[in-house]
Amino acid sequence: MKKTVALILTAALLFCLLAGCGGKTEPAASTAAPSASSEASTTAEATVTPPNGDYGAWHVALLTEESNIAEQSCSQIIYEAGREWCQAHGAGFRHYAAAERSKAELTALIDRAVEDGNTILILPDWSLTDAIKDSVGDYPDVRFILFDVYASEFGRDYVLPANVCAAVYREEVLGFMAGYAAVKLGYRHLCFVGTKKAAPVSRYGYGFVQGADAAAIELDTQREIAVEFAYANTTAADPAVTAYMDDMFQNRGVELCFVCGGDIAAAVCEAAQKTPSVKVIGADADMAQKLDASYGEGLTATSAVKNYAATVQTLLSDIIERNMWRSYSGRTVTGGIISGEDLAANYVGLAPSTVYADGKFSEADYAALVAGLYAGDYTVSDDTMNPPKVAIAVNYLGNIK
């Protein structure tokens, strides 16, 4: 966490960001900033920006589900980073927790946060886009920072308003690193399970397939590698998912599962703990402590991690300290690999808790992988419409339920 403050200086690039801005769903299809009118942006600047760096006039609010803060979630990371930044700079910081997961509840929460005088609202919940879409137009002078939300999730050809910025990540690169590490660590029968066929989840999965393929080619083991690929079609810890994964682990010989999104990790781990040799890879945040504590020490091989802490502190510094809202207004900004040498500076990467195996996949091997991705030695497609063409065997199984 302490290192993230220094990383803010690295991010004058707007997280490398504006190389991938626009209102489209896919980073590759991003264009220059959407047509957010300069008039709307100017109004927001004049109304909200405190004079002479009076950061105390800024009030930042994080809106989450009640359960998210205390369970090593993405929301917890954003909460801690935002609170830390605001405390250090004398800005206000509040947290609002929804009593239930519904459009009505989140809409009421947004209304309450604005009525309380908050000038920046952070929403890390991409699944309640209807409430967000309906609310942002009511408050043109409030900045909304969305995490893991693409404009297209609000509707086809939707353009983000001038008071909204969406921060997203290159999930396909994270998936690539996870698949590459899995094969290098010696696992041969792999599985990917995502919540549903949505763009961020598919990028994770297709990246995982590409990474496993790249490692297999380097090891000349293409014929030995197989990936089972499925969507749970739920975000819940559903017993149907556990039963499905019981069969995968106990009868089909799957050795490792990369699980992405919602509470389905719990359903997968319920099955995984019954077979001691099985491992899982977490997504978004470092899941090792949480999953290992609940389902068995050593269960988590690694996690594909988004650097939410650096992201939120970069955004707050740029928007509040540097008065750079116009650089973010109406934009989708994409965090990826910005350094081939300083691994901690990147917005995507494998977790510090990664279990390395010397002679198979070491920390030096991981550093070389990051350097190779930064240099363009590996090509990672972010296409979510078509499965990647690979040499390894991939079984696309559709929805679990």
Side-chain angles (χ1 to χ4, degrees):
M1 183 71 75
K2 293 180 180 178
K3 202 162 190 176
T4 59
V5 177
L7 296 180
I8 292 170
L9 301 176
T10 316
L13 67 171
L14 312 180
F15 309 75
C16 199
L17 284 170
L18 299 183
C21 28
K24 300 288 187 180
T25 302
E26 307 296 337
S30 298
T31 60
S35 55
S37 68
S38 58
E39 181 180 355
S41 295
T42 302
T43 301
E45 289 292 346
T47 305
V48 182
T49 303
N52 304 319
D54 180 11
Y55 304 146
W58 287 89
H59 291 278
V60 180
L62 173 67
L63 280 60
T64 69
E65 291 182 88
E66 185 175 9
S67 61
N68 280 0
I69 291 302
E71 57 182 26
Q72 298 167 311
S73 63
C74 308
S75 294
Q76 181 191 16
I77 296 168
I78 293 170
Y79 170 81
E80 291 175 350
R83 183 181 61 178
E84 179 185 271
W85 192 96
C86 289
Q87 287 177 343
H89 292 80
F93 183 82
R94 298 185 180 102
H95 170 229
Y96 295 80
E100 61 182 28
R101 188 183 186 85
S102 69
K103 176 183 174 180
E105 175 67 17
L106 183 57
T107 299
L109 211 60
I110 291 172
D111 292 340
R112 177 185 162 197
V114 175
E115 289 168 4
D116 287 348
N118 294 291
T119 50
I120 297 178
L121 303 190
I122 301 175
L123 295 97
D125 194 337
W126 60 269
S127 64
L128 296 175
T129 51
D130 286 345
I132 297 168
K133 181 180 178 180
D134 290 350
S135 296
V136 294
D138 295 336
Y139 304 111
D141 295 336
V142 175
R143 282 107 158 112
F144 290 79
I145 300 176
L146 314 181
F147 277 82
D148 291 329
V149 179
Y150 287 87
S152 67
E153 294 177 49
F154 295 99
R156 186 175 181 180
D157 299 324
Y158 180 80
V159 175
L160 292 176
N163 62 329
V164 177
C165 167
V168 299
Y169 299 85
R170 292 199 63 190
E171 288 97 355
E172 72 279 3
V173 173
L174 281 167
F176 186 96
M177 289 191 280
Y180 185 94
V183 171
K184 287 286 187 172
L185 285 168
Y187 300 101
R188 295 294 178 260
H189 197 172
L190 315 176
C191 181
F192 169 81
V193 177
T195 49
K196 63 178 181 177
K197 189 173 174 54
V201 179
S202 296
R203 269 194 294 275
Y204 263 135
Y206 289 166
F208 184 69
V209 169
Q210 293 174 75
D213 186 63
I217 290 172
E218 291 179 6
L219 297 172
D220 194 23
T221 58
Q222 299 95 307
R223 295 183 179 180
E224 300 175 21
I225 309 300
V227 180
E228 313 295 341
F229 194 109
Y231 295 105
N233 203 30
T234 178
T235 60
D238 196 294
V241 176
T242 299
Y244 189 91
M245 295 309 300
D246 276 336
D247 181 57
M248 282 284 185
F249 296 137
Q250 297 181 34
N251 301 322
R252 301 194 196 182
V254 168
E255 303 167 288
L256 176 144
C257 181
F258 181 31
V259 56
C260 299
D263 292 326
I264 62 167
V268 171
C269 290
E270 282 283 350
Q273 67 180 344
K274 301 171 187 175
T275 307
S277 60
V278 166
K279 303 295 179 184
V280 299
I281 295 178
D284 290 346
D286 189 345
M287 302 299 291
Q289 182 178 346
K290 178 181 178 181
L291 296 183
D292 285 17
S294 298
Y295 302 101
E297 188 69 28
L299 175 67
T300 311
T302 186
S303 295
V305 173
K306 298 174 180 177
N307 198 341
Y308 290 107
T311 304
V312 70
Q313 294 197 2
T314 294
L315 288 169
L316 293 179
S317 287
D318 283 350
I319 294 167
I320 296 176
E321 278 190 294
R322 302 186 180 97
N323 196 24
M324 291 171 61
W325 176 252
R326 285 187 179 88
S327 296
Y328 294 98
S329 171
R331 295 179 181 265
T332 296
V333 291
T334 306
I337 293 178
I338 63 171
S339 174
E341 298 180 355
D342 184 358
L343 276 59
N346 293 314
Y347 290 92
V348 295
L350 296 183
S353 64
T354 298
V355 179
Y356 294 104
D358 288 334
K360 290 184 177 181
F361 186 64
S362 65
E363 291 188 60
D365 294 327
Y366 171 56
L369 171 63
V370 173
L373 285 163
Y374 179 76
D377 297 338
Y378 298 99
T379 300
V380 188
S381 171
D382 64 357
D383 182 3
T384 59
M385 301 302 293
N386 305 291
K389 295 181 179 179
V390 292
I392 61 175
V394 185
N395 300 317
Y396 292 100
L397 303 169
N399 291 330
I400 292 174
K401 58 171 294 184

